[in-house]
Amino acid sequence: MWTRSEIRQHLQDAHRRVMSVAAVQRQLQISKNLERIEMAPYLSRLCEALAASMIAEGRPVTLKVKAQDGTTSSNEAVSIGLIVTELAINALRHAFVDGRSGGMIAVGYEAAPSGWRLEVSDDGLACPTRSVRVWGPASSRLSPGSSTLL
């Protein structure tokens, strides 16, 4: 049987997930008529919305985006947004607990003619630095003048 505190925590987690998915949807509605999504502004706006809905005031955790200019299809953007959302929620829930002072979740995106790469890392409790990397198909395009960031 769950305690009231556990029930409250589960409801708060569910609320955060719903708000995060809503943030992804809002970002995509803005660019609804576009076939290609500019990833740097998309990820920046998404992470700003995630931070606003998931990081409580006074909680010293930063969600930082380092994304290079590039585009991807709207379907890939949805998938990338959901991956970032889930990994950020997991880091906030498991890596930054017990009143830890400071912390950062970093989201990196780079595009190349051969595809794209997404990296989400944190400097939370379990490891000195954890990182998840995802490589995407070659359908992503590198914008002129872009360079590797990660």
Side-chain angles (χ1 to χ4, degrees):
M1 193 76 180
W2 288 342
T3 66
R4 286 181 185 218
S5 176
E6 291 171 328
I7 292 170
R8 182 176 292 120
Q9 181 63 45
H10 287 292
L11 288 173
Q12 288 172 341
D13 288 346
H15 179 259
R16 287 184 186 121
R17 288 178 188 267
V18 168
M19 295 306 293
S20 298
V21 170
V24 170
Q25 286 299 104
R26 276 193 303 273
Q27 296 304 318
L28 292 173
Q29 287 298 321
I30 292 169
S31 55
K32 181 177 167 180
N33 296 325
L34 301 176
E35 288 183 27
R36 307 291 297 173
I37 305 297
E38 291 288 335
M39 290 306 293
Y42 168 71
L43 287 172
S44 294
R45 287 189 306 264
L46 172 64
C47 288
E48 286 171 11
L50 290 172
S53 70
M54 295 173 15
I55 300 174
E57 281 189 39
R59 189 171 184 188
V61 177
T62 304
L63 183 55
K64 182 179 177 180
V65 176
K66 189 175 183 181
Q68 103 185 121
D69 291 335
T71 65
T72 191
S73 71
S74 58
N75 286 339
E76 287 176 355
V78 169
S79 297
I80 291 168
L82 292 174
I83 290 167
V84 168
T85 298
E86 187 64 26
L87 292 173
I89 289 171
N90 287 342
L92 287 167
R93 186 172 182 195
H94 301 291
F96 301 106
V97 293
D98 300 330
R100 180 166 186 248
S101 62
M104 182 171 57
I105 301 168
V107 176
Y109 176 86
E110 65 181 40
S114 60
W116 52 264
R117 184 176 93 172
L118 173 69
E119 182 172 359
V120 179
S121 61
D122 69 72
D123 61 356
L125 289 176
C127 302
T129 302
R130 282 186 296 242
S131 180
V132 175
R133 291 186 184 115
V134 180
W135 285 265
S139 64
S140 297
R141 293 190 178 93
L142 188 63
S143 295
S146 298
S147 62
T148 300
L149 294 176
L150 300 174

